[in-house]
Amino acid sequence: MAAKYVYFFGDGKADGKAEMKNLLGGKGANLAEMTSIGLPVPPGFTISTEVCTEFYKNERNYPAGLAKEVAANLTKVEKLMGKKFGDPKNPLLVSVRSGARASMPGMMDTILNLGLNDVTVHGIISQSKDERFAYDAYRRFVQMYSDVVMGMDKGILEHLLEQKKEAKGVHLDTELSAADWKELVGKFKEKIKKHLGQNFPEDPQEQLWGAIGAVFGSWMNQRAITYRKLNSIPADWGTAVNVQAMVFGNMGDDCATGVAFTRDPSTGKNYFYGEYLVNAQGEDVVAGIRTPQPINRANGNDSKLPSMEEVMPECYTQLAKIRGILENHYRDMQDIEFTIEKGKLFMLQTRNGKRTAKAAIKIAVDMVGEGLIDEKTAVQRVVPAQLDQLLHPSLDPKAKKKLIAKGLPASPGAACGQVVFTADEAEAAAKIGLKVILVRVETSPEDIHGMHAAQGILTARGGMTSHAAVVARGMGKCCVAGCGEIKVNYGAESFAAKGDVVVKKGDVITLDGSTGEVMLGEVPTVPPELTGDFGTLMEWVDKFRKLKVRTNADTPHDAKVAREFGAEGIGLCRTEHMFFEADRIAAVREMILAEDLDGRKRALAKILPMQKGDFIGIFREMKGLPVTIRLLDPPLHEFLPHEDKDIDALAKTMGVSVQALKNKVEFLHEFNPMLGHRGCRLGITFPEIYDLQVQAIMEAACELNKNEGFAIVPEIMIPLVAVVEELKRLRESAVRVCEEVMGRYGVKIDYLIGTMIELPRAALTADEIAKEAEFFSFGTNDLTQTTFGLSRDDAGKFLPFYVESNLLPEDPFVTLDQGGVGQLVRIGCEKGRATRKNLKVGICGEHGGDPESVIFCHKTGLDYVSCSPFRVPIARLAAAHAAIGETTDLTK
Ligand code: PEP
Ligand code: MG
């Protein structure tokens, strides 16, 4: 059988269905599905994503047979509509839209009114009896087509339009007559010819194929490539093309067009939420040029503009019914587009709506309550990385605020930063570590990189479904949109706000994306709310996951926060971090710089009570949960004194001359401190340091056990082991100290001694190492560094370039490199367990909180991941997804 490239939909029947997203793109699959379930969808057809793939494989040539299939399907549309494409009397007009598997704002979106030319326009006039409408449609088509298909600078035609309005002394497009539009169509075409050296195509077939080519071509434009990269969308997915009969929302006051969400995409509240415009076409609603009207008064919407429910009650009732049908059918919140032509409602799109993390959780939990989905589906509906939005502080309601404007609460959260006015500036500022707020009149797909780099986005124009609002929500970025109270002046790099306030580039402002408030300066924040729907969802999460989630915490406070986030133990307590505070660092420096054993012992005696106090605090906080304490692993350079005043003070304390101390600092200087005298190498050369730490751990455990009845199983972890002999010796020492302390207190504590696997050699000889280790923890920060031969401290100079230029798919310090580093983890795990069957294995590098890496850890059979406190819920959810993924295909 010949390959099928084109899929028809219309009149209640469709070749495709919702499950065929990979082949038909999201838009095409859902148009087919809506048609099949009896919703009013204008007929049309979808050219599959396979054609896109073939197109690029064959040097931008279409597969044989495509033209024939397109022609046959066009005929079907003509029959259903009772019109003919290119017919002078009763012409069919079509829209051409892109539609990839995932929605992609970076691509060519839509061409409307295709099929119009100097002849067919008369057919439209006689059919619609409205010359003005016909020429308005024609000029829109010429503008859109010349821009996206022919590459004409759209500003040039817009300028002609402005000139015309000026000449006529009018302000609005609506004030131009049929004759004006007719004249402009002619002028537009002349300009196009002059600028591009080619005629605007009159032949509808040529127009159609030009548009199809432009959709496929846009798959590889820079914006689409950037968007794919930011959203991890593979290039070989390709896009589909949807060709559909036009219906018009701009044929008069009984026409309209709108967009809606079946629930509030910002809060998740269960009410019908949307915007529409009377007598408008397609993108007018999202373009932010006219202020859209609400579809209803739900949720206390007190807009002064009349709602659709009031103006077009019958269509509204039908739409509200469709809302219910769609939610019941898709069992998820839908984002829909509709058009009303002469009082008749048509559905142009439905898709699962993008939503904030807050809304995702509320919708998932509510839908379980409503019996629409089960708990497992609810867990799958929340994207782990998205949780980040909820785990960070929001603005302190009690804080003093200097309110300078209020816009629409388009995407919640709080954001604070310096004002910039262009996407490029935002990106440049973020690169040097500045926090910025991108302020625009409105945003467009060209601004995506800047929106990504900014903390938050503020726009002067556009509704809740404007580009800025939709994209920010998808990114989980705070956004205040449609803030008409600000007047942006790009030239002066400033904006004026209420009360004569002028905010200049570089000034700090704060946005509250949940209220729409814009404030001058930085406003304090409060911790996140972890109960309610969030708590319910996380309970379900814990039912499904198998991987345990611990935290990396060095203080009782961090331990407490992590427990509140659901940590089941501490997977890494970095003891050197306990010494960063000013009064403590002096003692550590004294220890590092001591000339001899006596000097070191004197310094260690100062450290012992501090360490013991910390351990007691942490053990208490963790209430008997496992706590892994890593013995000292200080990259020496982080601790050495460099400033004269510190050296002077230390020399005094140690009773040595300043010069002698300087000489010692000089002597300890390392060229590659990350590969230097750190980790267990320090324990090997100065055993008294590790002995003291083990003593502090065991004394803390014994005291709590004896005095407060705590059952603590400390896990003592030895870092940066390369050869088993290092571990063997250090283990012997540690055991000796443990036994001595327990004897002294007269208590028996179960304790474990294990190691970090941070060096390729350790992973490759894990069978040997496991003889001396009761647990392994993969230190994937160092393991990444040593596997790639990349310095953790210096990679920032070139690694971003590697990622930007696709040399590496991701920063390997953020997402575990499964092909290389991951292989070592797998080998280490297998070899270790071959020696010691019940070896406990975890991971404590930064990857422990990265969703993709967590899924890898689950698949590799690790017992737990350990990550920073704020990422614990993300890791829990990712672990649940990994476990569910074993039985359910997440993409379905
Ligand atoms: C690691 O190397 O992955 C690790 C957790 O240790 P650190 O980051 O302290 O070197
Ligand atoms: Mg390490």
mmCIF file with all atom_site columns, all heavy atoms in Angstrom, residues 614-625 627 629 696-698 700-701 704 710 712-714:
data_model
loop_
_atom_site.group_PDB
_atom_site.id
_atom_site.type_symbol
_atom_site.label_atom_id
_atom_site.label_alt_id
_atom_site.label_comp_id
_atom_site.label_asym_id
_atom_site.label_entity_id
_atom_site.label_seq_id
_atom_site.pdbx_PDB_ins_code
_atom_site.Cartn_x
_atom_site.Cartn_y
_atom_site.Cartn_z
_atom_site.occupancy
_atom_site.B_iso_or_equiv
_atom_site.pdbx_formal_charge
_atom_site.auth_seq_id
_atom_site.auth_comp_id
_atom_site.auth_asym_id
_atom_site.auth_atom_id
_atom_site.pdbx_PDB_model_num
ATOM 1   N N   . ASP A 1 614 ? 27.198 20.470 66.576 1.00 0.00 ? 614 ASP A N   1
ATOM 2   C CA  . ASP A 1 614 ? 26.480 20.423 65.297 1.00 0.00 ? 614 ASP A CA  1
ATOM 3   C C   . ASP A 1 614 ? 25.825 19.064 65.088 1.00 0.00 ? 614 ASP A C   1
ATOM 4   O O   . ASP A 1 614 ? 24.675 18.972 64.686 1.00 0.00 ? 614 ASP A O   1
ATOM 5   C CB  . ASP A 1 614 ? 27.457 20.659 64.134 1.00 0.00 ? 614 ASP A CB  1
ATOM 6   C CG  . ASP A 1 614 ? 27.907 22.097 64.062 1.00 0.00 ? 614 ASP A CG  1
ATOM 7   O OD1 . ASP A 1 614 ? 27.163 22.968 64.529 1.00 0.00 ? 614 ASP A OD1 1
ATOM 8   O OD2 . ASP A 1 614 ? 29.016 22.342 63.541 1.00 0.00 ? 614 ASP A OD2 1
ATOM 9   N N   . PHE A 1 615 ? 26.603 18.016 65.363 1.00 0.00 ? 615 PHE A N   1
ATOM 10  C CA  . PHE A 1 615 ? 26.071 16.667 65.126 1.00 0.00 ? 615 PHE A CA  1
ATOM 11  C C   . PHE A 1 615 ? 24.870 16.395 66.033 1.00 0.00 ? 615 PHE A C   1
ATOM 12  O O   . PHE A 1 615 ? 23.875 15.809 65.603 1.00 0.00 ? 615 PHE A O   1
ATOM 13  C CB  . PHE A 1 615 ? 27.154 15.601 65.328 1.00 0.00 ? 615 PHE A CB  1
ATOM 14  C CG  . PHE A 1 615 ? 28.276 15.695 64.320 1.00 0.00 ? 615 PHE A CG  1
ATOM 15  C CD1 . PHE A 1 615 ? 29.594 15.427 64.679 1.00 0.00 ? 615 PHE A CD1 1
ATOM 16  C CD2 . PHE A 1 615 ? 28.013 16.059 63.008 1.00 0.00 ? 615 PHE A CD2 1
ATOM 17  C CE1 . PHE A 1 615 ? 30.619 15.516 63.756 1.00 0.00 ? 615 PHE A CE1 1
ATOM 18  C CE2 . PHE A 1 615 ? 29.032 16.155 62.069 1.00 0.00 ? 615 PHE A CE2 1
ATOM 19  C CZ  . PHE A 1 615 ? 30.348 15.884 62.449 1.00 0.00 ? 615 PHE A CZ  1
ATOM 20  N N   . ILE A 1 616 ? 24.970 16.837 67.265 1.00 0.00 ? 616 ILE A N   1
ATOM 21  C CA  . ILE A 1 616 ? 23.838 16.636 68.184 1.00 0.00 ? 616 ILE A CA  1
ATOM 22  C C   . ILE A 1 616 ? 22.597 17.320 67.604 1.00 0.00 ? 616 ILE A C   1
ATOM 23  O O   . ILE A 1 616 ? 21.512 16.742 67.553 1.00 0.00 ? 616 ILE A O   1
ATOM 24  C CB  . ILE A 1 616 ? 24.177 17.162 69.603 1.00 0.00 ? 616 ILE A CB  1
ATOM 25  C CG1 . ILE A 1 616 ? 25.161 16.197 70.275 1.00 0.00 ? 616 ILE A CG1 1
ATOM 26  C CG2 . ILE A 1 616 ? 22.915 17.329 70.454 1.00 0.00 ? 616 ILE A CG2 1
ATOM 27  C CD1 . ILE A 1 616 ? 25.653 16.609 71.648 1.00 0.00 ? 616 ILE A CD1 1
ATOM 28  N N   . GLY A 1 617 ? 22.800 18.569 67.153 1.00 0.00 ? 617 GLY A N   1
ATOM 29  C CA  . GLY A 1 617 ? 21.670 19.326 66.578 1.00 0.00 ? 617 GLY A CA  1
ATOM 30  C C   . GLY A 1 617 ? 21.060 18.608 65.390 1.00 0.00 ? 617 GLY A C   1
ATOM 31  O O   . GLY A 1 617 ? 19.844 18.492 65.272 1.00 0.00 ? 617 GLY A O   1
ATOM 32  N N   . ILE A 1 618 ? 21.901 18.107 64.525 1.00 0.00 ? 618 ILE A N   1
ATOM 33  C CA  . ILE A 1 618 ? 21.401 17.441 63.314 1.00 0.00 ? 618 ILE A CA  1
ATOM 34  C C   . ILE A 1 618 ? 20.719 16.114 63.658 1.00 0.00 ? 618 ILE A C   1
ATOM 35  O O   . ILE A 1 618 ? 19.618 15.821 63.186 1.00 0.00 ? 618 ILE A O   1
ATOM 36  C CB  . ILE A 1 618 ? 22.554 17.226 62.306 1.00 0.00 ? 618 ILE A CB  1
ATOM 37  C CG1 . ILE A 1 618 ? 22.956 18.578 61.714 1.00 0.00 ? 618 ILE A CG1 1
ATOM 38  C CG2 . ILE A 1 618 ? 22.143 16.276 61.191 1.00 0.00 ? 618 ILE A CG2 1
ATOM 39  C CD1 . ILE A 1 618 ? 24.161 18.533 60.804 1.00 0.00 ? 618 ILE A CD1 1
ATOM 40  N N   . PHE A 1 619 ? 21.361 15.311 64.503 1.00 0.00 ? 619 PHE A N   1
ATOM 41  C CA  . PHE A 1 619 ? 20.761 14.018 64.887 1.00 0.00 ? 619 PHE A CA  1
ATOM 42  C C   . PHE A 1 619 ? 19.382 14.235 65.509 1.00 0.00 ? 619 PHE A C   1
ATOM 43  O O   . PHE A 1 619 ? 18.432 13.525 65.230 1.00 0.00 ? 619 PHE A O   1
ATOM 44  C CB  . PHE A 1 619 ? 21.648 13.280 65.908 1.00 0.00 ? 619 PHE A CB  1
ATOM 45  C CG  . PHE A 1 619 ? 22.916 12.694 65.326 1.00 0.00 ? 619 PHE A CG  1
ATOM 46  C CD1 . PHE A 1 619 ? 24.058 12.548 66.119 1.00 0.00 ? 619 PHE A CD1 1
ATOM 47  C CD2 . PHE A 1 619 ? 22.971 12.281 64.005 1.00 0.00 ? 619 PHE A CD2 1
ATOM 48  C CE1 . PHE A 1 619 ? 25.225 11.996 65.602 1.00 0.00 ? 619 PHE A CE1 1
ATOM 49  C CE2 . PHE A 1 619 ? 24.136 11.735 63.475 1.00 0.00 ? 619 PHE A CE2 1
ATOM 50  C CZ  . PHE A 1 619 ? 25.261 11.591 64.277 1.00 0.00 ? 619 PHE A CZ  1
ATOM 51  N N   . ARG A 1 620 ? 19.317 15.239 66.358 1.00 0.00 ? 620 ARG A N   1
ATOM 52  C CA  . ARG A 1 620 ? 18.048 15.524 67.031 1.00 0.00 ? 620 ARG A CA  1
ATOM 53  C C   . ARG A 1 620 ? 16.962 15.865 66.012 1.00 0.00 ? 620 ARG A C   1
ATOM 54  O O   . ARG A 1 620 ? 15.845 15.392 66.061 1.00 0.00 ? 620 ARG A O   1
ATOM 55  C CB  . ARG A 1 620 ? 18.248 16.728 67.951 1.00 0.00 ? 620 ARG A CB  1
ATOM 56  C CG  . ARG A 1 620 ? 17.748 16.440 69.345 1.00 0.00 ? 620 ARG A CG  1
ATOM 57  C CD  . ARG A 1 620 ? 17.745 17.683 70.183 1.00 0.00 ? 620 ARG A CD  1
ATOM 58  N NE  . ARG A 1 620 ? 18.449 17.402 71.415 1.00 0.00 ? 620 ARG A NE  1
ATOM 59  C CZ  . ARG A 1 620 ? 19.415 18.147 71.912 1.00 0.00 ? 620 ARG A CZ  1
ATOM 60  N NH1 . ARG A 1 620 ? 19.828 19.218 71.284 1.00 0.00 ? 620 ARG A NH1 1
ATOM 61  N NH2 . ARG A 1 620 ? 19.976 17.807 73.042 1.00 0.00 ? 620 ARG A NH2 1
ATOM 62  N N   . GLU A 1 621 ? 17.343 16.711 65.068 1.00 0.00 ? 621 GLU A N   1
ATOM 63  C CA  . GLU A 1 621 ? 16.398 17.144 64.045 1.00 0.00 ? 621 GLU A CA  1
ATOM 64  C C   . GLU A 1 621 ? 15.926 15.980 63.184 1.00 0.00 ? 621 GLU A C   1
ATOM 65  O O   . GLU A 1 621 ? 14.779 15.942 62.760 1.00 0.00 ? 621 GLU A O   1
ATOM 66  C CB  . GLU A 1 621 ? 17.105 18.199 63.170 1.00 0.00 ? 621 GLU A CB  1
ATOM 67  C CG  . GLU A 1 621 ? 16.253 19.231 62.553 1.00 0.00 ? 621 GLU A CG  1
ATOM 68  C CD  . GLU A 1 621 ? 15.301 19.931 63.509 1.00 0.00 ? 621 GLU A CD  1
ATOM 69  O OE1 . GLU A 1 621 ? 15.731 20.795 64.301 1.00 0.00 ? 621 GLU A OE1 1
ATOM 70  O OE2 . GLU A 1 621 ? 14.118 19.578 63.453 1.00 0.00 ? 621 GLU A OE2 1
ATOM 71  N N   . MET A 1 622 ? 16.805 15.036 62.951 1.00 0.00 ? 622 MET A N   1
ATOM 72  C CA  . MET A 1 622 ? 16.454 13.942 62.035 1.00 0.00 ? 622 MET A CA  1
ATOM 73  C C   . MET A 1 622 ? 15.733 12.797 62.744 1.00 0.00 ? 622 MET A C   1
ATOM 74  O O   . MET A 1 622 ? 15.317 11.831 62.095 1.00 0.00 ? 622 MET A O   1
ATOM 75  C CB  . MET A 1 622 ? 17.701 13.419 61.307 1.00 0.00 ? 622 MET A CB  1
ATOM 76  C CG  . MET A 1 622 ? 18.320 14.419 60.361 1.00 0.00 ? 622 MET A CG  1
ATOM 77  S SD  . MET A 1 622 ? 17.151 15.207 59.207 1.00 0.00 ? 622 MET A SD  1
ATOM 78  C CE  . MET A 1 622 ? 16.852 13.884 58.053 1.00 0.00 ? 622 MET A CE  1
ATOM 79  N N   . LYS A 1 623 ? 15.603 12.887 64.036 1.00 0.00 ? 623 LYS A N   1
ATOM 80  C CA  . LYS A 1 623 ? 14.764 11.959 64.814 1.00 0.00 ? 623 LYS A CA  1
ATOM 81  C C   . LYS A 1 623 ? 14.949 10.488 64.440 1.00 0.00 ? 623 LYS A C   1
ATOM 82  O O   . LYS A 1 623 ? 13.971 9.765  64.168 1.00 0.00 ? 623 LYS A O   1
ATOM 83  C CB  . LYS A 1 623 ? 13.291 12.334 64.649 1.00 0.00 ? 623 LYS A CB  1
ATOM 84  C CG  . LYS A 1 623 ? 13.009 13.766 65.065 1.00 0.00 ? 623 LYS A CG  1
ATOM 85  C CD  . LYS A 1 623 ? 11.532 14.033 65.179 1.00 0.00 ? 623 LYS A CD  1
ATOM 86  C CE  . LYS A 1 623 ? 11.209 15.383 65.757 1.00 0.00 ? 623 LYS A CE  1
ATOM 87  N NZ  . LYS A 1 623 ? 12.037 16.518 65.417 1.00 0.00 ? 623 LYS A NZ  1
ATOM 88  N N   . GLY A 1 624 ? 16.176 10.065 64.416 1.00 0.00 ? 624 GLY A N   1
ATOM 89  C CA  . GLY A 1 624 ? 16.425 8.638  64.187 1.00 0.00 ? 624 GLY A CA  1
ATOM 90  C C   . GLY A 1 624 ? 16.538 8.236  62.726 1.00 0.00 ? 624 GLY A C   1
ATOM 91  O O   . GLY A 1 624 ? 16.840 7.084  62.422 1.00 0.00 ? 624 GLY A O   1
ATOM 92  N N   . LEU A 1 625 ? 16.294 9.164  61.806 1.00 0.00 ? 625 LEU A N   1
ATOM 93  C CA  . LEU A 1 625 ? 16.476 8.831  60.383 1.00 0.00 ? 625 LEU A CA  1
ATOM 94  C C   . LEU A 1 625 ? 17.980 8.730  60.089 1.00 0.00 ? 625 LEU A C   1
ATOM 95  O O   . LEU A 1 625 ? 18.791 9.302  60.807 1.00 0.00 ? 625 LEU A O   1
ATOM 96  C CB  . LEU A 1 625 ? 15.860 9.927  59.501 1.00 0.00 ? 625 LEU A CB  1
ATOM 97  C CG  . LEU A 1 625 ? 14.339 10.045 59.555 1.00 0.00 ? 625 LEU A CG  1
ATOM 98  C CD1 . LEU A 1 625 ? 13.869 11.269 58.781 1.00 0.00 ? 625 LEU A CD1 1
ATOM 99  C CD2 . LEU A 1 625 ? 13.678 8.791  59.004 1.00 0.00 ? 625 LEU A CD2 1
ATOM 100 N N   . VAL A 1 627 ? 21.699 9.307  58.965 1.00 0.00 ? 627 VAL A N   1
ATOM 101 C CA  . VAL A 1 627 ? 22.478 10.529 58.707 1.00 0.00 ? 627 VAL A CA  1
ATOM 102 C C   . VAL A 1 627 ? 23.877 10.114 58.243 1.00 0.00 ? 627 VAL A C   1
ATOM 103 O O   . VAL A 1 627 ? 24.599 9.430  58.967 1.00 0.00 ? 627 VAL A O   1
ATOM 104 C CB  . VAL A 1 627 ? 22.587 11.409 59.969 1.00 0.00 ? 627 VAL A CB  1
ATOM 105 C CG1 . VAL A 1 627 ? 23.479 12.619 59.692 1.00 0.00 ? 627 VAL A CG1 1
ATOM 106 C CG2 . VAL A 1 627 ? 21.215 11.859 60.443 1.00 0.00 ? 627 VAL A CG2 1
ATOM 107 N N   . ILE A 1 629 ? 27.497 11.221 57.449 1.00 0.00 ? 629 ILE A N   1
ATOM 108 C CA  . ILE A 1 629 ? 28.411 12.336 57.696 1.00 0.00 ? 629 ILE A CA  1
ATOM 109 C C   . ILE A 1 629 ? 29.716 12.069 56.965 1.00 0.00 ? 629 ILE A C   1
ATOM 110 O O   . ILE A 1 629 ? 30.355 11.031 57.152 1.00 0.00 ? 629 ILE A O   1
ATOM 111 C CB  . ILE A 1 629 ? 28.669 12.491 59.212 1.00 0.00 ? 629 ILE A CB  1
ATOM 112 C CG1 . ILE A 1 629 ? 27.342 12.840 59.895 1.00 0.00 ? 629 ILE A CG1 1
ATOM 113 C CG2 . ILE A 1 629 ? 29.713 13.567 59.463 1.00 0.00 ? 629 ILE A CG2 1
ATOM 114 C CD1 . ILE A 1 629 ? 27.399 12.724 61.376 1.00 0.00 ? 629 ILE A CD1 1
ATOM 115 N N   . ALA A 1 696 ? 33.892 12.995 67.462 1.00 0.00 ? 696 ALA A N   1
ATOM 116 C CA  . ALA A 1 696 ? 32.776 13.937 67.640 1.00 0.00 ? 696 ALA A CA  1
ATOM 117 C C   . ALA A 1 696 ? 31.453 13.292 67.241 1.00 0.00 ? 696 ALA A C   1
ATOM 118 O O   . ALA A 1 696 ? 30.441 13.444 67.930 1.00 0.00 ? 696 ALA A O   1
ATOM 119 C CB  . ALA A 1 696 ? 33.022 15.198 66.811 1.00 0.00 ? 696 ALA A CB  1
ATOM 120 N N   . ILE A 1 697 ? 31.453 12.561 66.128 1.00 0.00 ? 697 ILE A N   1
ATOM 121 C CA  . ILE A 1 697 ? 30.211 11.906 65.664 1.00 0.00 ? 697 ILE A CA  1
ATOM 122 C C   . ILE A 1 697 ? 29.736 10.908 66.715 1.00 0.00 ? 697 ILE A C   1
ATOM 123 O O   . ILE A 1 697 ? 28.555 10.903 67.111 1.00 0.00 ? 697 ILE A O   1
ATOM 124 C CB  . ILE A 1 697 ? 30.455 11.154 64.320 1.00 0.00 ? 697 ILE A CB  1
ATOM 125 C CG1 . ILE A 1 697 ? 30.780 12.138 63.201 1.00 0.00 ? 697 ILE A CG1 1
ATOM 126 C CG2 . ILE A 1 697 ? 29.253 10.283 63.948 1.00 0.00 ? 697 ILE A CG2 1
ATOM 127 C CD1 . ILE A 1 697 ? 31.365 11.485 61.942 1.00 0.00 ? 697 ILE A CD1 1
ATOM 128 N N   . MET A 1 698 ? 30.668 10.064 67.176 1.00 0.00 ? 698 MET A N   1
ATOM 129 C CA  . MET A 1 698 ? 30.257 8.989  68.088 1.00 0.00 ? 698 MET A CA  1
ATOM 130 C C   . MET A 1 698 ? 29.890 9.539  69.466 1.00 0.00 ? 698 MET A C   1
ATOM 131 O O   . MET A 1 698 ? 28.962 9.040  70.109 1.00 0.00 ? 698 MET A O   1
ATOM 132 C CB  . MET A 1 698 ? 31.361 7.932  68.196 1.00 0.00 ? 698 MET A CB  1
ATOM 133 C CG  . MET A 1 698 ? 31.500 7.095  66.955 1.00 0.00 ? 698 MET A CG  1
ATOM 134 S SD  . MET A 1 698 ? 29.924 6.353  66.397 1.00 0.00 ? 698 MET A SD  1
ATOM 135 C CE  . MET A 1 698 ? 29.819 4.926  67.454 1.00 0.00 ? 698 MET A CE  1
ATOM 136 N N   . ALA A 1 700 ? 28.548 12.421 70.025 1.00 0.00 ? 700 ALA A N   1
ATOM 137 C CA  . ALA A 1 700 ? 27.208 13.015 69.860 1.00 0.00 ? 700 ALA A CA  1
ATOM 138 C C   . ALA A 1 700 ? 26.152 11.914 69.881 1.00 0.00 ? 700 ALA A C   1
ATOM 139 O O   . ALA A 1 700 ? 25.130 12.012 70.574 1.00 0.00 ? 700 ALA A O   1
ATOM 140 C CB  . ALA A 1 700 ? 27.132 13.790 68.550 1.00 0.00 ? 700 ALA A CB  1
ATOM 141 N N   . ALA A 1 701 ? 26.410 10.835 69.145 1.00 0.00 ? 701 ALA A N   1
ATOM 142 C CA  . ALA A 1 701 ? 25.433 9.740  69.071 1.00 0.00 ? 701 ALA A CA  1
ATOM 143 C C   . ALA A 1 701 ? 25.260 9.081  70.437 1.00 0.00 ? 701 ALA A C   1
ATOM 144 O O   . ALA A 1 701 ? 24.138 8.810  70.877 1.00 0.00 ? 701 ALA A O   1
ATOM 145 C CB  . ALA A 1 701 ? 25.886 8.717  68.040 1.00 0.00 ? 701 ALA A CB  1
ATOM 146 N N   . LEU A 1 704 ? 23.322 11.395 72.929 1.00 0.00 ? 704 LEU A N   1
ATOM 147 C CA  . LEU A 1 704 ? 21.880 11.459 72.640 1.00 0.00 ? 704 LEU A CA  1
ATOM 148 C C   . LEU A 1 704 ? 21.211 10.139 72.985 1.00 0.00 ? 704 LEU A C   1
ATOM 149 O O   . LEU A 1 704 ? 20.099 10.103 73.508 1.00 0.00 ? 704 LEU A O   1
ATOM 150 C CB  . LEU A 1 704 ? 21.644 11.768 71.160 1.00 0.00 ? 704 LEU A CB  1
ATOM 151 C CG  . LEU A 1 704 ? 21.720 13.235 70.777 1.00 0.00 ? 704 LEU A CG  1
ATOM 152 C CD1 . LEU A 1 704 ? 21.492 13.394 69.285 1.00 0.00 ? 704 LEU A CD1 1
ATOM 153 C CD2 . LEU A 1 704 ? 20.666 14.052 71.529 1.00 0.00 ? 704 LEU A CD2 1
ATOM 154 N N   . PHE A 1 710 ? 17.713 8.342  71.950 1.00 0.00 ? 710 PHE A N   1
ATOM 155 C CA  . PHE A 1 710 ? 17.663 8.337  70.475 1.00 0.00 ? 710 PHE A CA  1
ATOM 156 C C   . PHE A 1 710 ? 18.309 7.078  69.898 1.00 0.00 ? 710 PHE A C   1
ATOM 157 O O   . PHE A 1 710 ? 19.381 6.683  70.330 1.00 0.00 ? 710 PHE A O   1
ATOM 158 C CB  . PHE A 1 710 ? 18.470 9.528  69.937 1.00 0.00 ? 710 PHE A CB  1
ATOM 159 C CG  . PHE A 1 710 ? 17.623 10.724 69.655 1.00 0.00 ? 710 PHE A CG  1
ATOM 160 C CD1 . PHE A 1 710 ? 17.480 11.727 70.610 1.00 0.00 ? 710 PHE A CD1 1
ATOM 161 C CD2 . PHE A 1 710 ? 16.991 10.859 68.435 1.00 0.00 ? 710 PHE A CD2 1
ATOM 162 C CE1 . PHE A 1 710 ? 16.718 12.840 70.351 1.00 0.00 ? 710 PHE A CE1 1
ATOM 163 C CE2 . PHE A 1 710 ? 16.226 11.975 68.161 1.00 0.00 ? 710 PHE A CE2 1
ATOM 164 C CZ  . PHE A 1 710 ? 16.077 12.970 69.132 1.00 0.00 ? 710 PHE A CZ  1
ATOM 165 N N   . ILE A 1 712 ? 20.220 6.129  66.958 1.00 0.00 ? 712 ILE A N   1
ATOM 166 C CA  . ILE A 1 712 ? 20.881 6.753  65.807 1.00 0.00 ? 712 ILE A CA  1
ATOM 167 C C   . ILE A 1 712 ? 21.843 5.758  65.172 1.00 0.00 ? 712 ILE A C   1
ATOM 168 O O   . ILE A 1 712 ? 22.569 5.063  65.891 1.00 0.00 ? 712 ILE A O   1
ATOM 169 C CB  . ILE A 1 712 ? 21.682 7.991  66.266 1.00 0.00 ? 712 ILE A CB  1
ATOM 170 C CG1 . ILE A 1 712 ? 20.715 9.021  66.836 1.00 0.00 ? 712 ILE A CG1 1
ATOM 171 C CG2 . ILE A 1 712 ? 22.481 8.581  65.115 1.00 0.00 ? 712 ILE A CG2 1
ATOM 172 C CD1 . ILE A 1 712 ? 21.375 9.975  67.758 1.00 0.00 ? 712 ILE A CD1 1
ATOM 173 N N   . VAL A 1 713 ? 21.789 5.692  63.865 1.00 0.00 ? 713 VAL A N   1
ATOM 174 C CA  . VAL A 1 713 ? 22.773 4.854  63.170 1.00 0.00 ? 713 VAL A CA  1
ATOM 175 C C   . VAL A 1 713 ? 23.625 5.781  62.295 1.00 0.00 ? 713 VAL A C   1
ATOM 176 O O   . VAL A 1 713 ? 23.296 6.033  61.141 1.00 0.00 ? 713 VAL A O   1
ATOM 177 C CB  . VAL A 1 713 ? 22.083 3.791  62.287 1.00 0.00 ? 713 VAL A CB  1
ATOM 178 C CG1 . VAL A 1 713 ? 23.121 2.856  61.671 1.00 0.00 ? 713 VAL A CG1 1
ATOM 179 C CG2 . VAL A 1 713 ? 21.060 3.002  63.076 1.00 0.00 ? 713 VAL A CG2 1
ATOM 180 N N   . PRO A 1 714 ? 24.706 6.318  62.854 1.00 0.00 ? 714 PRO A N   1
ATOM 181 C CA  . PRO A 1 714 ? 25.507 7.226  62.034 1.00 0.00 ? 714 PRO A CA  1
ATOM 182 C C   . PRO A 1 714 ? 26.177 6.459  60.899 1.00 0.00 ? 714 PRO A C   1
ATOM 183 O O   . PRO A 1 714 ? 26.596 5.318  61.078 1.00 0.00 ? 714 PRO A O   1
ATOM 184 C CB  . PRO A 1 714 ? 26.559 7.780  63.004 1.00 0.00 ? 714 PRO A CB  1
ATOM 185 C CG  . PRO A 1 714 ? 26.260 7.210  64.333 1.00 0.00 ? 714 PRO A CG  1
ATOM 186 C CD  . PRO A 1 714 ? 25.289 6.095  64.169 1.00 0.00 ? 714 PRO A CD  1
#
